[in-house]
Amino acid sequence: MPILILNMISFKKLADPVFFAIVFCWVFFRPDVAAGKVFDRVVAKVNSEIITMSSIEERAIVLKQKFRNKSAEIDEKEILRQALEIVIAEKLQLQQAKKMGFEVDDSSVEAAVKNIEKQNGLQEGQLEQILEAEGNSLEAYKNRIRDQIIVSKITKFELGARVIVSERKIAKYYHDHQKEFWNSGKSKVRHILILSEKGSPEKIRKRKYKDIKKILSEIRNGKDFSEAAKEYSEDISASSGGDVGFVEKGKMVPEFEKAVDSLREGEISGIVETEYGFHIIKVDEVQKGKTIPLVKVRDKIQDILADRKQKIVYENWMKELKNSAFIEISLFTEPEKRLNS
């Protein structure tokens, strides 16, 4: 049986943008992966707090799951390095959050636990049993959840205050990317279809063409288009008088689209052949293409620009935290020390 470990993740690779959400996942791994006993030693210090090898190994397992489906061979040392960077970042964020007085009430933690149980189909008490079977306690797990919520809170606070997009930049993006905000024209269309696939015997095609020609003659002589569609069309739209609703450019077969583009409101086409057969098309309404007003896409543009800026802002924030901290790393054989004042 595989060993089951619960992990709560709210991190990505350090250089990635930060997402303001707490993600919970199950991590499965085979016993032989965890069989080797880890010598639990101190591999780093962040101010007054230590980071142990076991905590790095735990994060490394999660990262391995992330890279499992990638064809490139996993570099164990790089995985450990990334795991260490993640834990250091979280330590710094937690320490800063505590300095600033960030807190999380018990009800928020309990709600998160309930959400984990629900998402994983666990009955009440099962989560605690699983944790105990792995040598962990529910209380310790709740403390981890609390820390993750605090990290999420301070990250949102810090980046929210720093990621500011000016109205001038929004307007400039809108002006420079007009194609992104162009709403293509569309037409409200009805049609009558007589099925005749290309490649069918010439005798059948001629008979089908004769049928559609007769229908077109009736319409031009005053027969109502909708009634003609209900009576003759072999398309599923026949029952609604051939109504296929609004159609946009690029979403129709070329011959059909060309015919629609050539028609004004109220006009009826001649016979149009497509891969499906012979059509008669009527355009009931034309809505011309236009640029979407800035007021309607402002928030979308703000999100685009904020996402771009977020990565840089996050990295700068982490540099500030590291520069004002004492960080000592001894993960690999040659200890790596850094003291910043």
Side-chain angles (χ1 to χ4, degrees):
M1 288 291 290
I3 298 172
L4 176 64
I5 289 187
L6 273 165
N7 284 280
M8 182 178 67
I9 312 164
S10 67
F11 59 85
K12 302 190 81 176
K13 186 177 176 181
L14 192 61
D16 289 349
V18 178
F19 288 82
F20 306 137
I22 298 174
V23 183
F24 304 100
C25 75
W26 296 94
V27 178
F28 297 89
F29 62 100
R30 296 181 60 81
D32 55 333
V33 176
K37 186 178 178 181
V38 177
F39 175 60
D40 202 7
R41 60 186 177 88
V42 174
V43 295
K45 292 179 183 177
V46 180
N47 293 319
S48 60
E49 295 188 61
I50 63 168
I51 296 173
T52 61
M53 188 64 182
S54 60
S55 65
I56 300 305
E57 284 286 334
E58 184 180 316
R59 293 304 175 87
I61 291 168
V62 177
L63 289 175
K64 285 177 184 177
Q65 298 296 316
K66 180 181 173 183
F67 298 131
R68 179 192 287 175
N69 297 325
K70 294 190 176 181
S71 56
E73 187 177 338
I74 297 174
D75 185 328
E76 295 287 338
K77 192 171 181 179
E78 176 60 18
I79 291 287
L80 287 174
R81 189 194 65 77
Q82 287 187 28
L84 178 59
E85 285 294 313
I86 289 165
V87 176
I88 287 173
E90 289 184 354
K91 289 284 186 189
L92 290 169
Q93 291 162 8
L94 276 170
Q95 290 171 7
Q96 183 65 16
K98 287 171 183 176
K99 283 181 189 177
M100 296 173 67
F102 279 84
E103 294 181 353
V104 175
D105 56 55
D106 292 341
S107 61
S108 297
V109 176
E110 291 297 333
V113 171
K114 294 292 182 188
N115 188 41
I116 293 168
E117 291 175 333
K118 182 179 178 181
Q119 288 182 354
N120 292 283
L122 298 177
Q123 300 298 320
E124 188 174 352
Q126 280 187 299
L127 176 58
E128 186 171 8
Q129 291 173 8
I130 292 170
L131 290 167
E132 286 178 355
E134 295 298 330
N136 297 309
S137 69
L138 182 59
E139 203 55 41
Y141 189 67
K142 285 181 179 179
N143 287 335
R144 290 183 61 192
I145 291 175
R146 190 184 305 277
D147 286 348
Q148 294 295 318
I149 295 173
I150 290 175
V151 166
S152 179
K153 276 189 170 185
I154 189 169
T155 303
K156 183 176 181 180
F157 174 81
E158 288 287 346
L159 269 64
R162 297 164 186 243
V163 179
I164 299 171
V165 180
S166 69
E167 293 300 323
R168 183 182 63 81
K169 287 185 177 178
I170 291 172
K172 186 177 186 306
Y173 185 94
Y174 178 74
H175 179 269
D176 293 345
H177 298 79
Q178 286 288 290
K179 286 184 179 180
E180 292 181 25
F181 310 110
W182 173 255
N183 195 347
S184 299
K186 56 185 179 179
S187 301
K188 195 170 188 298
V189 173
R190 293 178 187 273
H191 81 137
I192 295 167
L193 170 64
I194 298 299
L195 294 168
S196 177
E197 294 181 4
K198 286 184 177 180
S200 57
E202 188 63 25
K203 184 178 179 180
I204 294 175
R205 283 172 53 78
K206 284 183 177 180
R207 178 170 58 80
K208 296 279 188 176
Y209 185 81
K210 186 178 179 181
D211 290 343
I212 195 79
K213 192 174 180 181
K214 181 184 175 186
I215 296 166
L216 180 59
S217 177
E218 288 184 25
I219 291 170
R220 287 180 172 169
N221 286 324
K223 189 176 181 72
D224 181 74
F225 191 96
S226 297
E227 292 303 315
K230 289 177 182 178
E231 185 176 347
Y232 299 119
S233 183
E234 296 173 350
D235 185 59
I236 56 172
S237 63
S239 61
S240 61
D243 187 3
V244 293
F246 281 98
V247 292
E248 298 178 14
K249 288 185 178 182
K251 296 186 178 179
M252 301 170 276
V253 291
E255 302 89 347
F256 195 98
E257 183 172 298
K258 185 177 179 181
V260 169
D261 285 347
S262 69
L263 298 172
R264 290 177 292 194
E265 285 189 9
E267 284 189 335
I268 296 170
S269 73
I271 297 168
V272 178
E273 185 178 7
T274 72
E275 59 190 276
Y276 302 106
F278 299 107
H279 307 255
I280 302 170
I281 303 166
K282 181 183 179 186
V283 172
D284 287 340
E285 182 183 344
V286 175
Q287 291 185 0
K288 293 182 179 179
K290 60 181 179 180
T291 302
I292 304 169
L294 174 59
V295 67
K296 290 190 175 180
V297 293
R298 182 198 170 281
D299 290 346
K300 179 182 178 181
I301 295 172
Q302 185 178 36
D303 289 343
I304 291 169
L305 295 177
D307 285 345
R308 290 180 179 179
K309 195 173 181 181
Q310 184 175 275
K311 178 181 177 180
I312 298 169
V313 168
Y314 177 74
E315 288 175 348
N316 288 339
W317 177 45
M318 290 311 304
K319 283 178 185 176
E320 290 173 16
L321 292 179
K322 287 179 179 179
N323 287 338
S324 62
F326 171 82
I327 301 173
E328 183 180 1
I329 298 172
S330 55
L331 175 60
F332 303 113
T333 50
E334 289 294 326
E336 181 182 324
K337 295 186 179 182
R338 183 168 75 247
L339 176 60
N340 299 310
S341 58

